[in-house]
Amino acid sequence: MRILGIETSCDETGVAIYDEQKGLVANQLYSQIALHAEYGGVVPELASRDHIRKTAPLIKAALKEANLTPQDIDGIAYTAGPGLVGALLVGSTVARALAYAWNVPALGVHHMEGHLLAPMLEENKPEFPFLALLVSGGHTQIVQVNRLSEYELLGESIDDAAGEAFDKTAKLLGLDYPGGAALSRLAEKGNPERFHFPRPMTDRPGLDFSFSGLKTFAANTLHALVKEENVADPTKLSEQARADVARAFQDAVIDTILIKCRRALKQTGLKRLVIAGGVSANKPLRHALGEFMHKIGGEVFYPAPQFCTDNGAMIAYVGFLRLKNAKNSDLALQVKPRWPMTELKP
């Protein structure tokens, strides 16, 4: 069984083909970073238009990479949500049209389920049950995964997700979009002793996150430094000052996530932790969680770096799992910009 996966939830167009016997046989990805960089964030209308331009050529490229024809495809999976509604509609429309033309089933896939199961694309796969930390631009969630589609949400961000907070703080520091990776690089030069940022919501019970106040704390710290160094704005601060703020911010995010994961593991009694989503590529975060899991005799699993950000491979894989026993589908288009993963059916 071979499944074509299409990902168009935000600012990356991903197309991949998953083969039941061979695994991933094609993976094509186009990033819109350059398109949105001058605006400092994703412009939904531009994102949708670019998906329209790129999806068909990437499908052709994926078929060529796998040395396959449309007749070799047994089903199509596409991201149905959550995400930008216009972008989601592009992928779903293309998928449904091709499914009709190729006479194969099509299925809408949950974007976050794709991230959650992305480590399954690696040779070292986690066994069920496990705890999952999903950290991306729009979501920070802790999920207990008992089996495929049996998910219990234990905690989530009540305002900015970790990825959003990274990008917003990076913008305050004058770093280019997308700022998360740039902030992490700058933080490597920072003095960890100069500033201490709060670890939000760790002084109370529960597993929810809140990173909006942490971003505000960074903004206030930068404002004080502007006065201290007598410059026009934070972007004119010395590189060392900006690096020190970046380090304090990143340390606070990582410590907060570590504290919440420690609580969740103790609460559930699980010893396997999956970390997925764009922020899971952060090396200090991986190191901190990996070190902790080693101390408690547990295991930690990550997707490969290229599968941390949005991609078609994770959609093709989830589509394969779900289409394996679901041969029928209609042509109805239904996308869900907001879609709790707990609503997924087996």
Side-chain angles (χ1 to χ4, degrees):
M1 188 176 193
R2 301 186 187 94
I3 301 300
L4 175 74
I6 301 174
E7 156 62 24
T8 62
S9 66
C10 191
D11 59 345
E12 276 142 341
T13 313
V15 176
I17 300 173
Y18 186 85
D19 186 300
E20 183 175 7
Q21 302 299 324
K22 301 177 181 179
L24 191 66
V25 293
N27 184 41
Q28 297 287 323
L29 184 69
Y30 175 80
S31 174
Q32 300 178 0
I33 286 177
L35 176 66
H36 301 288
E38 65 177 297
Y39 304 101
V42 178
V43 182
E45 179 64 24
L46 295 181
S48 301
R49 291 180 181 182
D50 214 44
H51 286 310
I52 292 172
R53 286 191 288 265
K54 303 299 182 183
T55 304
L58 286 178
I59 292 172
K60 291 180 180 179
L63 288 169
K64 184 177 181 180
E65 179 186 351
N67 194 28
L68 298 172
T69 68
Q71 289 71 37
D72 298 315
I73 300 300
D74 301 299
I76 302 176
Y78 62 91
T79 303
L84 303 174
V85 64
L88 293 170
L89 282 169
V90 175
S92 63
T93 301
V94 172
R96 290 293 184 181
L98 287 179
Y100 178 76
W102 296 353
N103 193 30
V104 296
L107 181 72
V109 166
H110 194 290
H111 179 75
M112 296 308 294
E113 186 178 28
H115 278 304
L116 188 152
L117 296 177
M120 298 294 187
L121 293 166
E122 307 304 313
E123 285 188 16
N124 184 27
K125 301 176 176 65
E127 295 181 4
F128 297 112
F130 58 79
L131 191 73
L133 169 68
L134 301 179
V135 275
S136 68
H139 300 81
T140 302
Q141 299 176 329
I142 295 179
V143 182
Q144 181 174 336
V145 181
N146 297 317
R147 62 186 179 89
L148 180 64
S149 76
E150 189 177 312
Y151 310 129
E152 181 181 352
L153 181 64
L154 303 180
E156 63 182 335
S157 47
I158 62 174
D159 42 48
D160 285 354
E164 288 176 301
F166 261 98
D167 287 342
K168 289 178 180 179
T169 303
K171 192 172 183 179
L172 293 173
L173 291 165
L175 301 174
D176 292 335
Y177 171 86
L183 187 151
S184 187
R185 288 192 295 272
L186 181 62
E188 292 176 5
K189 306 173 185 177
N191 176 5
E193 305 299 327
R194 183 174 182 184
F195 299 112
H196 181 81
F197 284 18
R199 276 54 174 163
M201 295 185 70
T202 58
D203 58 348
R204 67 191 74 173
L207 298 172
D208 286 337
F209 299 90
S210 172
F211 293 111
S212 180
L214 196 57
K215 175 208 63 183
T216 302
F217 196 94
N220 292 338
T221 303
L222 288 168
H223 182 67
L225 286 171
V226 164
K227 288 185 176 181
E228 183 182 312
E229 295 192 9
N230 193 27
V231 294
D233 59 66
T235 63
K236 302 299 189 295
L237 290 168
S238 65
E239 183 181 32
Q240 188 60 54
R242 292 162 61 239
D244 292 344
V245 172
R247 177 62 183 267
F249 172 82
Q250 179 171 263
D251 285 351
V253 172
I254 292 173
D255 281 354
T256 300
I257 290 174
L258 179 58
I259 290 168
K260 298 289 185 174
C261 284
R262 185 187 302 135
R263 286 182 187 175
L265 289 162
K266 184 177 181 180
Q267 177 180 314
T268 60
L270 295 170
K271 288 294 185 73
R272 284 186 287 270
L273 177 66
V274 161
I275 307 169
V279 183
S280 70
N282 182 285
K283 291 181 180 178
L285 175 63
R286 287 191 173 209
H287 176 75
L289 289 168
E291 193 174 60
F292 170 71
M293 293 302 292
H294 178 72
K295 284 180 180 179
I296 66 170
E299 295 179 279
V300 63
F301 302 86
Y302 309 95
Q306 67 265 34
F307 301 137
C308 289
T309 54
D310 295 350
N311 62 87
M314 64 185 191
I315 303 304
Y317 179 71
V318 175
F320 158 70
L321 294 177
R322 289 186 169 274
L323 280 169
K324 201 170 183 181
N325 297 308
K327 300 297 183 182
N328 300 316
S329 64
D330 56 36
L331 297 177
L333 286 175
Q334 185 180 18
V335 297
K336 300 178 181 180
R338 296 183 181 276
W339 187 8
M341 200 160 53
T342 49
E343 292 181 0
L344 285 172
K345 297 178 181 179

